Structure formats: C-alpha cells, structure tokens
Amino acid sequence: MIVIYMNKIKASAPGKVILAGEHFVVENQPAIASAINLRTSVYISTRIKKGIEIYSKNYDLHRLYKIENGSFHDKLIEDKLYPIYFLVKYLLNTYNIEVRGGLIITIDSDIPPGSGLGSSAAVSVATVAALSKFFNLNLSLEDISKIAYKAEEIIHGKPSGIDNTISTFGGVILYKKTEGFIRINSKLSDMALILADSGIPRFTKDMVLKVQKLRKKYPEIFDPIYYAAGKLVRNMVDAIKSEDLIRLGELMNINHGLLSTIGVSNMFLEKIVYTSRKLGALGAKITGAGGGGLVLAISRKERAIHIYNGLKEICKKVILTEVSEKGVL
Ligand code: PMV
C-alpha cells in the first residue's frame, strides 16, 4: 500500500496534446502543442533517516534510493522512478546541496501515464519546480524546462523537447527544435478537447524510427510532405490567433492525412478519427506518436458531450478536457 504525504512543498505541472506537427517536428518543422487541464502534483517533505524515498500513486510504486557519503547509487536505470531520482541527484550535485536526513517525494497525477499526454514531462517539470521551491533555488522557468529535459532524455532517448516546454510554460505554443518556442496568445475558451484512447500501446521511439526509415527510403516524396506540414502549422497559428475553430478543425484533418501518409495510423485509429467527425467533431487526428495511443477531436463545448458519449461506444477510455493557460505552479 502506498502512503501519501501531502505536507510541505508542492508543485504541479500540466499534461499536453499536440495539435499539429508531431513527427515532422523531429526533423525541425514547427509543431503546436497545448497544455491541458490534467495535472501532475509533486510533494516534497523531509525524512528523518537518510535516503530519497519516492512514491508514485499512479504506478503504485515505492522506492528508497540510498545516499552514502554524499554520493548516490546509480544502479536502477531500468526503474520507472529512476528519472525522478536522477533529477534530485542532479540538483543536489549542481547546487552543492547537502541533505540532512533524507527526502520524501510523492507523485500524484491526473494524467494517464504512457498515453502521449506528456505525463513523464509533467512529473519531471513538477519535480524540478518542487525541489527549486524546497531548496530556495529560484530556478527560472527556462531552467526548470531545461533540467526536466534531462530526465526526458533518459526516458525517451532524444525527444524534441516539446513536452517539457509546454508543461513548464502552459497555454498554446509554437515549437521548433532549433528555435525553441513562442507562445500563441489565444484562449480557445470555447474549444473542447476530446481524447479517445485506442487502447493500443504506443511506443514513441519505435514510431519515430519507423517514420525516419521510410523518409530515408523515399526522400523526394517525403520532403514535400514535411514542407506541407510546416506550412500547415503556420496556417494553424493564424486559425488559433483568430479562434477560428472551423479552420483549426480542417487543418487538424489535413494533418491527420499527412500522419497516415507517413505510416503512423492504423485501422482502429482511422475508425476513431472518422467516428469523431461523424459525431460532429470540427477536426480529428492522431495526437502524438501514433501507432496506437490517442485520437484528439475538437468541438465547441456545447457539442463535446455528444462526441464523448459516441466515442465511449468504441473506446474504453475517453477524456474530455480543455486548453490550460497554466504551466508549472
Ligand atoms: O510521445 P508522444 O506520443 O507525445 O509523441 C511525441 C511526438 C513526436 O513528435 C512523435 C516525438 C517528439 O519527440 O516530438
């Protein structure tokens, strides 16, 4: 049984959805991501005995990592909680912090893990922010995002960095690997996000490799697709700025077509996409790596429950959410 300590310092960070540009972003095309109002909270409290104790409510996991002579054991790289321990270790070493006794870190998240909603980035961002508060490090948002990225590298290899960025800053962002991000100032307050889970496991690393392999084989075909994806994203920025949900939906549909073209869709994902549109979604597409995972549909808020109920008939898990302006807190 997991014991949760809700005392002392807390930080929380949101999950995300990719509205457009996944996969193409890996090759330095722009992408658009939005924070959603599902959050991860990380609590830090002190421990009388030495060691870093980490609890994850979602994974139902509990670990005690030892500290000996000020140094740490690095034996548990396979462990799901290792990236959190890594972040603690990184901050203690970088800022020369000595902990008397130990720390208890408790993770409690609304974001389903492993579904492409950026749960790992939200945990990392919230952990760094909570430690910053706990040790009065005064880390800037840029620092928090950069440090959280180090844990993302342990989990995902070489991710684009979009997840830790959106989880830190919140809102809706335009992101480019080599240029960083800019915030798109728009509330999209009448837009509902409906996320339907295919129930098919997705593996980001494998899907990215699959796309890259196909791209290498057919460069003269893929180049214009990547170019079109970049244009689509720029176009979507205008749609978002003017809160034009009809245009936003159409662009999402085109983006889905491009994702199918590069090989990350499958029969059931197509079924969810087309069912969403039939139910009245303004746009529907794979979000994230594809191959499984989630389909994102958008609609005006008044229509959302109808789409939600319809999708429930074919998917076990459907989430109704919206854009969150709040990043890490
Ligand atoms: O892991 P997901 O499902 O959120 O997808 C990540 C998006 C990719 O563009 C496929 C990879 C990346 O690092 O940006």
Side-chain angles (χ1 to χ4, degrees):
M1 197 193 63
I2 298 291
V3 184
I4 309 287
Y5 293 85
M6 295 293 188
N7 54 346
K8 297 283 181 197
I9 297 294
K10 173 193 167 183
S12 74
K16 68 99 198 359
V17 285
I18 298 182
L19 293 175
E22 52 274 89
H23 285 289
F24 308 107
V25 71
V26 176
E27 298 296 329
N28 209 28
Q29 291 295 338
I32 300 173
S34 164
I36 55 177
N37 66 355
L38 298 177
R39 298 182 73 84
T40 291
S41 298
V42 172
Y43 302 83
I44 315 245
S45 53
T46 46
R47 186 174 189 274
I48 295 164
K49 288 186 182 167
K50 276 197 175 302
I52 310 290
E53 210 174 331
I54 305 179
Y55 293 99
S56 164
K57 199 181 160 201
N58 298 72
Y59 284 123
D60 200 22
L61 282 178
H62 173 218
R63 295 274 182 276
L64 175 61
Y65 299 94
K66 284 185 187 157
I67 316 174
E68 275 172 7
N69 302 326
S71 67
F72 296 78
H73 289 294
D74 263 320
K75 287 178 194 154
L76 293 160
I77 296 196
E78 300 295 303
D79 193 324
K80 277 204 167 69
L81 299 182
Y82 174 79
I84 308 301
Y85 164 66
F86 166 86
L87 288 172
V88 179
K89 171 182 156 164
Y90 177 86
L91 286 174
L92 295 186
N93 287 347
T94 307
Y95 294 93
N96 266 326
I97 302 163
E98 222 178 281
V99 186
R100 249 183 243 134
L103 295 174
I104 300 166
I105 298 175
T106 303
I107 303 154
D108 188 9
S109 183
D110 305 333
I111 310 166
S115 58
L117 294 180
S119 70
S120 66
V123 171
S124 300
V125 167
T127 301
V128 176
L131 289 164
S132 173
K133 286 185 198 175
F134 193 84
F135 293 117
N136 289 318
L137 300 177
N138 272 324
L139 294 179
S140 66
L141 290 179
E142 280 79 8
D143 289 337
I144 290 172
S145 181
K146 256 191 224 153
I147 297 167
Y149 180 77
K150 292 179 190 296
E152 286 287 278
E153 280 183 310
I154 296 173
I155 304 162
H156 300 297
K158 271 260 162 266
S160 61
I162 198 168
D163 285 19
N164 48 289
T165 304
I166 190 68
S167 185
T168 304
F169 293 92
V172 182
I173 61 164
L174 174 67
Y175 178 86
K176 201 168 175 204
K177 214 168 161 182
T178 53
E179 289 169 24
F181 76 98
I182 49 171
R183 195 157 176 143
I184 307 172
N185 285 322
S186 172
K187 294 221 172 332
L188 295 172
S189 48
D190 190 30
M191 183 172 84
L193 302 169
I194 306 125
L195 289 155
D197 192 344
S198 66
I200 304 168
R202 49 166 264 306
F203 302 98
T204 301
K205 250 192 222 169
D206 296 351
M207 293 315 284
V208 169
L209 286 177
K210 184 184 168 191
V211 170
Q212 284 180 335
K213 214 169 139 194
L214 209 56
R215 182 172 195 241
K216 276 206 184 101
K217 198 166 171 187
Y218 301 106
E220 70 286 4
I221 299 173
F222 270 58
D223 283 354
I225 298 171
Y226 276 64
Y227 177 79
K231 286 282 171 207
L232 184 151
V233 164
R234 302 276 174 203
N235 218 294
M236 193 181 274
V237 172
D238 294 337
I240 291 171
K241 278 185 182 160
S242 53
E243 300 200 23
D244 184 344
L245 297 190
I246 304 272
R247 189 162 149 207
L248 176 54
E250 282 169 356
L251 290 165
M252 281 173 60
N253 290 343
I254 300 171
N255 192 164
H256 178 75
L258 298 181
L259 289 169
S260 286
T261 305
I262 63 170
V264 300
S265 192
N266 61 35
M267 241 161 84
F268 191 50
L269 290 171
E270 292 299 321
K271 181 173 174 178
I272 303 171
V273 164
Y274 280 90
T275 306
S276 307
R277 292 178 194 166
K278 202 171 156 197
L279 288 163
L282 297 171
K285 65 181 274 286
I286 287 167
T287 184
L294 299 170
V295 165
L296 166 68
I298 63 157
S299 74
R300 297 196 194 283
K301 283 190 174 156
E302 61 185 24
R303 185 77 188 164
I305 194 69
H306 174 74
I307 300 167
Y308 172 91
N309 286 335
L311 288 173
K312 272 294 243 184
E313 308 254 311
I314 58 167
C315 299
K316 271 205 192 111
K317 192 159 82 195
V318 183
I319 299 167
L320 191 52
T321 182
E322 60 189 335
V323 173
S324 165
E325 283 301 303
K326 291 179 196 145
V328 66
L329 293 174

